[in-house]
Amino acid sequence: MGTSLAVAGIAWAAVSFWSSQFPDVRILKNRYPVAIPVRNAPRGGQQFEIRWSAQRPETWISLSGISPLAVGAVVVSEDLAFFTHRGYDSNQIREALKHDLARGSFARGASTITQQVAKNVFLSQEKSLWRKAKELLLAIRMDRELGKRKVLETYMNIVEWGPGVFGIQAASFHYFGKSPSDLSAREGAFLAMLLPSPVRYSQSFRQKKLTPYARSTVSRILEKMWRAGYLTPEEAQLANSERMSFEQEQREEASSSESEAPAEPEGEAEVDRQGGEEDT
């Protein structure tokens, strides 16, 4: 009798611990996470909180309501293997480990889109190996329980695209004054360029011209879209020559001064995917 009670107690404790540390990801099947900006959030601190809605929010856009070109730009930029991995990318994890061991720090997170959803919806922004382990386990379960389209739709609707700008609808209207369904390839590439560090990289929008870093990154994303089959070579070339609505006509002297401006830091090894300067 005593042994049975002890076993039951241990089992109950284990279930309670699992439930507290690993929430049930199936909640995303019938409820909607809404990212609410945190006022006066400290730099590097939590910039948003998640509130749950039983009803679909007016700002929530289904994946079919978003331009496939914008979705493609995000996928090739953030997680090229998204549709083939099981929630995590073993190749990226291996490369990140090599990079971090060489630097002696945990600076490259290797987070997939699924892992980013797990972190932003269910976990804190704490930088620790335990949080990364939970993120990985939750991502594996999300991939199995929810499927790719639900994960990607959730990501597009909760991710931060600029200071206080959360979700693809807010981003689309904020930067381009249009519906997410009408986004062009270049506009999608610009939004994808913002994602590693949206506050920093939205400098181009504030200045009404692309910085050298933004221009090269947008161009690189368009090339990835062509190689991944989202664009033909001709469409990629045309998109690369287009000017977005917020870009002003540049005088020669403006272009000259821009080339002398300090470049933004390049490479996603330098920034966490939607989580600050470094990741662990």
Side-chain angles (χ1 to χ4, degrees):
M1 179 70 175
T3 302
S4 297
L5 287 175
V7 170
I10 292 172
W12 180 85
V15 170
S16 297
F17 175 78
W18 178 269
S19 298
S20 66
Q21 297 296 314
F22 298 94
D24 189 349
V25 301
R26 291 175 296 181
I27 190 176
L28 288 169
K29 289 184 176 181
N30 49 37
R31 298 189 72 187
Y32 298 87
V34 181
I36 306 297
V38 174
R39 290 187 177 183
N40 302 317
R43 180 177 174 81
Q46 186 82 13
Q47 302 298 308
F48 64 94
E49 61 182 11
I50 293 294
R51 296 179 187 172
W52 292 93
S53 174
Q55 302 296 321
R56 175 173 167 168
E58 292 183 1
T59 57
W60 189 277
I61 306 298
S62 66
L63 197 61
S64 60
I66 306 171
S67 162
L69 295 175
V71 174
V74 169
V75 170
V76 301
S77 177
E78 289 289 289
D79 188 0
L80 187 57
F82 174 75
F83 288 106
T84 58
H85 64 54
R86 297 182 177 180
Y88 66 96
D89 188 333
S90 56
N91 291 328
Q92 286 297 317
I93 291 175
R94 185 164 51 249
E95 290 302 313
L97 285 174
K98 289 180 182 178
H99 178 273
D100 292 342
L101 289 173
R103 291 187 54 169
S105 65
F106 293 99
R108 183 169 178 172
S111 291
T112 62
I113 284 175
T114 317
Q115 287 175 267
Q116 290 181 59
V117 173
K119 177 179 67 174
N120 290 336
V121 172
F122 297 112
L123 303 175
S124 71
Q125 302 300 309
E126 170 196 7
K127 298 182 183 300
S128 70
L129 291 175
W130 175 233
R131 194 269 290 163
K132 286 297 293 185
K134 290 191 290 184
E135 176 188 301
L136 178 61
L137 292 173
L138 285 171
I140 293 171
R141 190 173 184 193
M142 286 172 62
D143 189 77
R144 183 176 66 247
E145 297 282 354
L146 304 175
K148 299 294 185 182
R149 289 186 63 82
K150 185 61 177 179
V151 170
L152 188 54
E153 179 180 301
T154 302
Y155 178 81
M156 298 294 287
N157 278 280
I158 65 165
V159 77
E160 183 181 12
W161 306 86
V165 181
F166 291 88
I168 185 63
Q169 176 163 280
S172 185
F173 280 100
H174 176 74
Y175 290 108
F176 307 113
K178 62 172 61 175
S179 167
S181 62
D182 296 327
L183 290 168
S184 69
R186 185 169 179 82
E187 290 165 342
F190 174 81
L191 292 178
M193 180 275 297
L194 297 172
L195 288 173
S197 188
V199 175
R200 178 188 300 172
Y201 295 158
S202 58
Q203 172 186 344
S204 291
F205 178 74
R206 295 189 295 273
Q207 295 182 347
K208 305 303 179 187
K209 61 182 179 181
L210 295 185
T211 64
Y213 170 79
R215 182 176 293 108
S216 65
T217 303
V218 167
S219 179
R220 189 162 60 246
I221 291 171
L222 290 170
E223 180 181 356
K224 286 183 178 181
M225 291 177 69
W226 157 53
R227 295 187 182 280
Y230 290 98
L231 297 171
T232 65
E234 295 75 20
E235 289 170 336
Q237 185 176 16
L238 178 61
N240 206 27
S241 65
E242 292 174 349
R243 189 170 63 249
M244 291 173 285
S245 58
F246 68 80
E247 292 183 88
Q248 297 175 344
E249 292 282 356
Q250 301 299 308
R251 301 187 303 270
E252 287 188 16
E253 56 266 33
S255 299
S256 176
S257 64
E258 175 184 290
S259 66
E260 296 171 3
E264 291 160 302
E266 300 197 32
E268 54 188 69
E270 299 302 323
V271 289
D272 180 20
R273 318 306 292 183
Q274 292 282 332
E277 301 299 326
E278 295 184 347
D279 197 11
T280 54

